[in-house]
Amino acid sequence: MRLRKLPRLPQAAAFLLLAGTVLPDEAYADVGESGAQSATIVAPISATRTYSFAEGAIYAVHTSPGRVTDIALQPGETLGAVASGDTARWVIGDTTSGSGDTQRAHVLIKPAAAGLSTNLVITTDRRVYHLTVTSAAKGAMSAVAWSYPRDALLAFERSRTAIQAAAPVASGVQIEHLRFDYDISGDDPTWRPLRAFDDGRQTFIEFHASIQVGQVPPLFLVNAKGEAELVNYRLRGRYYVVDRLFDVAELRLGTETQQIVRIRRVGSRERTTDGRRGS
């Protein structure tokens, strides 16, 4: 068996091959018997035109006779129906790729001639796509797809919410120091807290889980003169965390008809030397 001497590739081509890149035939076209490094590397280009999806927008799709244009939907999206304004001069079909969660629906379209124009409406279980489809002798799009910024934002928000929910409300809290002797009185709004307690350093006000998506009332401290003062606090999950102790505080919401819920520490307790309060 006679072995054929392979042409020597330019360094760039050899590097691409080592990296696992499949080179086009044109990369070898000008390599002669002498092995001269005259080959031209043809850089790959993206075959897909990607639009950013927006509800109600119309997207342009360019096709050519003798070529199929692939309209790729979002992975996991279920195709409902495809309607076209001209079904006589356009060949339209659909197929799928992948499986399971990665399965993807594709609408395939091919014109009968150049110079045609029609519209396409694609409905799915998630959204409606509106397209204007034209045909010309050249310039066909190989594939059309979309990115989905709103979905990405919602996924980010869900991820952030999950991380926040998993985070502790506060660090360094010792269970044996917790005191729950607080009285809650006043109005009965949907945001009325469930309980209040402290650990000798911080005060915690617990609400229903819906407080994270509903109205959030501001917290005021009530001094010995009965005057309300704003206090620094933060919302962690469904808890208000106040970095101090207080005797009386009020949650207030509304302008003309104000709803007020009062939180009062029951009994008097004096501080001990280690920061706890004695009865």
Side-chain angles (χ1 to χ4, degrees), residues 179 181 247 265-270 277-279:
R179 304 293 295 266
D181 46 348
D247 289 326
R265 179 167 55 88
V266 178
S268 61
R269 291 171 289 177
E270 296 179 354
R277 291 182 296 188
S279 299

Side-chain angles (χ1 to χ4, degrees), residues 105-228:
H106 301 260
V107 176
L108 309 178
I109 185 167
K110 182 176 71 172
L116 304 180
S117 178
T118 189
N119 73 311
L120 205 63
V121 178
I122 302 172
T123 62
T124 74
D125 61 336
R126 298 179 183 175
R127 56 185 63 87
V128 179
Y129 299 85
H130 296 271
L131 304 96
T132 296
V133 188
T134 58
S135 67
K138 295 181 178 180
M141 295 176 175
S142 296
V144 176
W146 286 265
S147 62
Y148 303 88
R150 185 173 181 273
D151 288 12
L153 178 61
L154 290 175
F156 172 76
E157 289 293 338
R158 286 193 295 268
S159 174
R160 186 174 67 174
T161 300
I163 292 174
Q164 290 177 344
V169 175
S171 58
V173 176
Q174 296 180 325
I175 297 177
E176 63 270 19
H177 293 171
L178 295 181
R179 304 293 295 266
F180 291 87
D181 46 348
Y182 285 81
D183 178 66
I184 299 176
S185 60
D187 295 325
D188 189 23
T190 56
W191 46 262
R192 183 183 174 101
L194 299 173
R195 63 183 61 86
F197 56 95
D198 70 72
D199 66 348
R201 299 180 301 108
Q202 298 173 308
T203 305
F204 304 89
I205 304 172
E206 183 182 359
F207 296 87
H208 290 281
S210 59
I211 192 70
Q212 299 181 68
V213 294
Q215 292 181 310
V216 180
L219 179 68
F220 300 86
L221 296 190
V222 180
N223 60 26
K225 298 180 181 180
E227 300 170 336

